[in-house]
């Protein structure tokens, strides 16, 4: 962990100074020059820093851009989705989230609480099993069969008595998601919590995120969710347009 911490510190030093030599990095990190040299060499090998030929100093390389580009789209989604989420939270009266897939989980990037969502959970950054959430189902429904298999390789673990744990039943429900355009989760991740979600598409039509509305099951019933589905779908479509999707 110390090496990782030092490597990140090197990147921060170069980001702040523009460029720095081995001695400068060593002084800043309070390590021997040989240690600083090894750290810079490892980062250079991964294309994260480069050595300037003239002065023998180091600066950030384009590998940093490659890493940053992996999150740029997600940042854009939250920026473009913010006004839509705020409007939907007020209109529907429940908590609205934007979520994406991250490795084997669904994770929410942005949340707006509706007027009736006093004391609701903060779901931002929380990793959840995609098969048990409405956002996760929407995102899974638009993966290839191979991608879904890889995602579910560890199995379907019961989160509540209502969680779908049979892959054949889950696949059937995902077909329905694709057909109707949105997904429901009826107390499948947490008892007493219901949610509905719709897909957000990128410029090329790929489903890159999902927008969801969630609330207490006693109030946000299955019937109520079907009622708000058109508004949620319209919101997802608006964010997709903001992301460049022409459809």
């Amino acid at each position: 962990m110390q090496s990782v911490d030092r490597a990140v510190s090197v990147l921060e030093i170069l980001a702040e100074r523009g460029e720095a030599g081995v001695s400068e990095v060593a002084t800043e990190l309070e390590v021997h020059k040989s240690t600083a040299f090894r750290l810079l060499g490892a980062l250079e090998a991964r294309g994260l820093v480069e050595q300037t030929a003239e002065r023998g100093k180091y600066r950030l390389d384009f590998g940093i851009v490659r890493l940053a580009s992996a999150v740029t789209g997600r940042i854009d989604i939250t920026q473009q989705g913010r006004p839509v989420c705020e409007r939907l939270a007020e209109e529907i009266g429940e908590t609205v989230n934007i979520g994406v897939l991250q490795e084997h989980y669904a994770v929410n990037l942005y949340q707006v609480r509706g007027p009736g969502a006093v004391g609701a959970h903060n779901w931002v950054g929380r990793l959840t099993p995609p098969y048990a959430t409405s956002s996760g189902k929407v995102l899974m429904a638009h993966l290839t069969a191979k991608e879904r298999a890889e995602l579910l390789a560890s199995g379907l673990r019961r989160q509540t008595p209502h969680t779908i744990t049979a892959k054949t039943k889950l696949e059937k429900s995902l077909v329905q998601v694709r057909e109707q355009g949105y997904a429901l989760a009826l107390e499948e991740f947490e008892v007493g919590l219901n949610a509905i979600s719709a897909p957000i598409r990128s410029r090329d039509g790929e489903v890159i995120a999902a927008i969801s509305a969630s609330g207490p099951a006693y109030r946000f019933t299955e019937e109520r969710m079907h009622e708000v589905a058109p508004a949620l779908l319209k919101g997802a479509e608006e964010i997709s347009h903001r992301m460049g999707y022409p459809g």
Side-chain angles (χ1 to χ4, degrees):
M1 288 300 294
Q2 187 180 48
S3 295
V4 173
D5 184 64
R6 285 174 173 172
V8 172
S9 295
V10 171
L11 296 176
E12 291 175 339
I13 291 167
L14 297 182
E16 182 180 344
R17 298 190 179 190
E19 58 180 38
V22 175
S23 296
E24 294 172 84
V25 171
T27 300
E28 190 74 25
L29 295 180
E30 298 182 347
V31 299
H32 193 274
K33 285 176 63 175
S34 61
T35 300
F37 183 76
R38 284 197 300 272
L39 286 168
L40 287 162
L43 292 170
E44 185 178 23
R46 301 305 293 267
L48 300 177
V49 307
E50 66 174 354
Q51 190 172 18
T52 59
E54 304 80 31
R55 294 183 293 277
K57 293 193 174 186
Y58 290 83
R59 63 189 175 194
L60 295 179
D61 200 0
F62 287 106
I64 292 291
V65 177
R66 184 186 70 249
L67 295 178
S69 66
V71 298
T72 300
R74 296 184 177 188
I75 294 171
D76 287 345
I77 291 170
T78 60
Q79 290 175 340
Q80 299 300 332
R82 183 174 289 115
V84 178
C85 289
E86 291 174 350
R87 187 187 71 237
L88 285 174
E90 185 68 29
E91 182 180 339
I92 296 173
E94 304 292 353
T95 298
V96 175
N97 278 282
I98 290 179
V100 297
L101 285 178
Q102 180 176 311
E103 296 181 348
H104 296 86
Y105 300 95
V107 59
N108 288 312
L109 304 178
Y110 183 68
Q111 174 174 298
V112 178
R113 297 182 182 184
V118 178
H121 290 298
N122 181 4
W123 296 101
V124 175
R126 185 173 175 182
L127 301 178
T128 58
Y131 54 86
T133 66
S134 63
S135 291
K137 288 182 185 180
V138 161
L139 294 165
M140 287 176 58
H142 294 87
L143 295 176
T144 65
K146 182 181 179 181
E147 289 171 332
R148 277 198 300 278
E150 292 173 351
L151 188 67
L152 300 173
S154 59
L156 305 177
R157 295 184 178 85
R158 190 175 298 280
Q159 308 295 317
T160 76
H162 306 284
T163 306
I164 298 175
T165 55
K167 288 186 178 181
T168 51
K169 186 176 180 181
L170 177 63
E171 282 292 343
K172 186 176 180 181
S173 73
L174 296 181
V175 170
Q176 184 178 8
V177 169
R178 289 191 292 272
E179 289 176 348
Q180 68 183 10
Y182 59 90
L184 301 182
L186 303 170
E187 301 186 76
E188 294 168 48
F189 178 64
E190 186 176 295
V191 172
L193 181 72
N194 284 346
I196 179 174
S197 186
I200 296 172
R201 298 179 184 275
S202 65
R203 182 180 291 103
D204 59 5
E206 178 188 1
V207 174
I208 54 174
I211 184 170
S212 67
S214 60
Y218 72 85
R219 182 178 68 216
F220 204 43
T221 62
E222 183 174 0
E223 181 181 6
R224 172 61 179 157
M225 288 192 287
H226 285 301
E227 288 176 357
V228 304
L232 193 70
L233 286 166
K234 185 177 179 181
E237 186 177 300
E238 183 177 339
I239 299 174
S240 297
H241 284 320
R242 287 169 173 262
M243 294 298 294
Y245 180 58

